[in-house]
């Protein structure tokens, strides 16, 4: 098959330092806030990937000015009008844009990749209906329109499928006449750090917010035009740090923020729990590998996006691991729990799929095809295992362009560095 990538095996300890591109989560939140601001804004350090390009194109289709000048993106708000927009497979686009599109003067048709049709959307579309928006459909594709600026107010949703349902409603809430209060009722709320990121960025734009247990209020008012400086994407950094843990040697990530709401920051604690040395100096975080990996037992609910990286490490550990609290991963780009179990077991692993997680036992692995299901994090997980297991062929490594274009070249460059 022409779309198979032979994952390179590490033949010596690594010695590599890099700066990863900007955070997808922060970039697409900044796009929404800049599009609704009371004047032109700039975004520096923005990620350039399929997900962020889809966000740009959707905003432009609705009347927002987007211009690139080197590393800076200039956003000029304008009257929002009806349009047809494409979400691809991007959760931040399909969940963040509908509340903004409800502010448009005209109907908005929202579509995406066929695989995205199965991704949960009912919570946010039902929430918009409760706020007075006319929505036709409960999943992609759907149509929405408002006869006037939506009144807003309080809405109760089940956000156990994705924290993006909460963030999507809150990001556009200042432009609703009464703002929006979101109450979550349902199963455990995943990825709380991403909601904290949303609230922090709203406050940075001068918006008044309040939060309590499973309840968040964003008050109506202006969104300040400003310069957004995007942090490096720490979740995209995790495969490279994991590489040092697997292959030995040292990998350092530059410009690691002193404090952050990004879930990727938790990789430092996870690697330490697995017996790997992690250090911090001069604004960089470095991982020093070489020893045997130890299994862990961990609630991954708040940091579910790290699960593919951590599962790959656990598959190479010498003691069992249990990763739990991540039932919501079944509604991501693919059913990540099912996919991880199938692919690790396909290489000879011993993974038991739990209702809300994975139980991973030590087992000798051999080469074979690693399917990615058009999921960027499945692709990087295969690359991690391939560092130690010869003959791992990763299907469609190009899917990593969703959040990290050029991943395969960076990975090879890391392994060849001296």
């Amino acid at each position: 098959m022409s779309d198979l990538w032979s994952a390179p095996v590490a033949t010596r300890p690594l010695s590599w330092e890099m700066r990863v591109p900007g955070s997808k989560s922060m970039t697409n939140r900044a796009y929404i806030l800049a599009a609704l601001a009371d004047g032109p804004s700039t975004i520096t350090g923005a990620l350039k990937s399929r997900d962020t390009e889809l966000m740009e194109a959707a905003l432009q289709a609705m009347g927002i000015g987007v211009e690139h000048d080197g590393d800076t993106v200039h956003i000029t708000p304008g009257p929002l009008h009806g349009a047809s927009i494409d979400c691809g497979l991007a959760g931040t686009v399909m969940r963040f844009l509908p509340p903004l599109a409800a502010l448009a003067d005209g109907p908005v048709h929202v579509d995406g990749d066929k695989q995205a049709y199965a991704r949960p959307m009912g919570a946010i579309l039902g929430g918009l209906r409760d706020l007075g928006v006319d929505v036709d459909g409960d999943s992609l594709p759907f149509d929405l329109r408002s006869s006037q600026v939506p009144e807003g107010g309080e809405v109760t949703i089940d956000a156990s499928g994705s924290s993006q349902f909460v963030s999507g409603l809150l990001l556009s809430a200042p432009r609703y006449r009464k703002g929006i209060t979101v109450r979550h009722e349902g199963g455990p709320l995943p990825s709380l750090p991403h909601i904290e990121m949303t609230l922090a960025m709203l406050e940075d734009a001068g918006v008044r917010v309040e939060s309590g247990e499973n309840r968040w209020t964003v008050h109506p008012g202006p969104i300040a035009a400003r310069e957004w400086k995007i942090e490096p994407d720490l979740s995209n950094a995790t495969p490279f740090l994991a590489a040092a843990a697997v292959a030995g040697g040292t990998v350092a990530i530059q410009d690691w923020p002193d404090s952050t709401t990004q879930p990727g920051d938790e990789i430092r604690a996870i690697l330490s729990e697995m017996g790997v040395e992690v250090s911090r100096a001069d604004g960089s975080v470095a991982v020093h590998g070489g020893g045997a990996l130890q299994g862990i037992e961990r609630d991954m609910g708040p940091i579910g996006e790290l699960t593919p990286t951590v599962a790959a490490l656990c598959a190479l550990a010498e003691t069992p691991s249990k990763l739990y609290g991540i039932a919501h991963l079944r509604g991501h780009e693919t059913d990540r729990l099912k996919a991880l179990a199938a692919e690790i077991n396909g290489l000879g692993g011993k993974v038991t799929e739990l209702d809300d997680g994975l139980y991973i036992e030590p087992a000798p692995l051999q080469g074979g095809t690693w399917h990615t299901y058009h999921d960027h994090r499945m692709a990087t997980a295969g690359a991690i295992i391939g560092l130690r297991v010869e003959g791992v062929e990763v299907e469609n490594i190009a899917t990593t362009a969703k959040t990290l274009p050029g991943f395969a070249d960076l990975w090879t460059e890391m392994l060849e560095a001296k």
Side-chain angles (χ1 to χ4, degrees), residues 57-68:
L59 292 175
Q60 287 176 309
M62 287 189 285
I64 303 300
V66 181
E67 294 185 3
H68 288 262

Side-chain angles (χ1 to χ4, degrees), residues 307-388:
T307 299
T309 292
V310 176
L313 290 169
C314 292
L316 300 171
E318 62 177 16
T319 56
S321 297
K322 181 181 179 182
L323 309 178
Y324 60 94
I326 40 179
H328 65 284
L329 294 189
R330 298 189 185 281
H332 276 227
E333 282 82 346
T334 186
D335 180 338
R336 282 183 175 163
L337 300 184
K338 182 178 181 180
L340 285 165
E343 297 313 307
I344 294 172
N345 289 343
L347 302 182
K350 191 174 181 182
V351 181
T352 302
E353 192 178 339
L354 310 175
D355 287 343
D356 73 335
L358 300 169
Y359 184 68
I360 305 172
E361 299 176 77
L365 303 181
Q366 73 271 342
T369 301
W370 179 276
H371 301 94
T372 59
Y373 310 85
H374 305 289
D375 185 333
H376 56 130
R377 301 204 193 280
M378 284 297 299
T380 56
I384 292 168
I385 291 177
L387 291 169
R388 187 177 292 181

Side-chain angles (χ1 to χ4, degrees), residues 255-269:
D255 300 332
W256 198 282
D258 291 333
S259 62
T260 182
T261 53
Q262 290 192 62
D265 189 45
E266 196 65 18
I267 192 66
R268 296 186 293 138

Side-chain angles (χ1 to χ4, degrees), residues 9-25:
V9 175
T11 57
R12 59 174 182 265
L14 305 179
S15 179
W16 176 246
E17 186 171 1
M18 66 179 292
R19 186 190 190 280
V20 293
S23 162
K24 177 198 72 175
S25 297

Side-chain angles (χ1 to χ4, degrees), residues 29-30 81 93 103 177-178 190 260 303 314 399:
R29 282 166 172 78
H81 55 68
V93 181
L103 299 165
R177 285 187 286 167
K178 291 184 177 180
T260 182
I303 51 171
C314 292
T399 195

Side-chain angles (χ1 to χ4, degrees), residues 40 44 55 113 360 363 396:
T44 58
M55 179 66 84
D113 294 357
I360 305 172
N396 189 21

Side-chain angles (χ1 to χ4, degrees), residues 60-92:
Q60 287 176 309
M62 287 189 285
I64 303 300
V66 181
E67 294 185 3
H68 288 262
D69 180 12
D71 191 41
T72 300
V73 184
H74 298 273
I75 308 294
T76 305
L80 294 167
H81 55 68
S84 292
I85 60 178
D86 175 18
C87 294
L89 195 54
T92 53

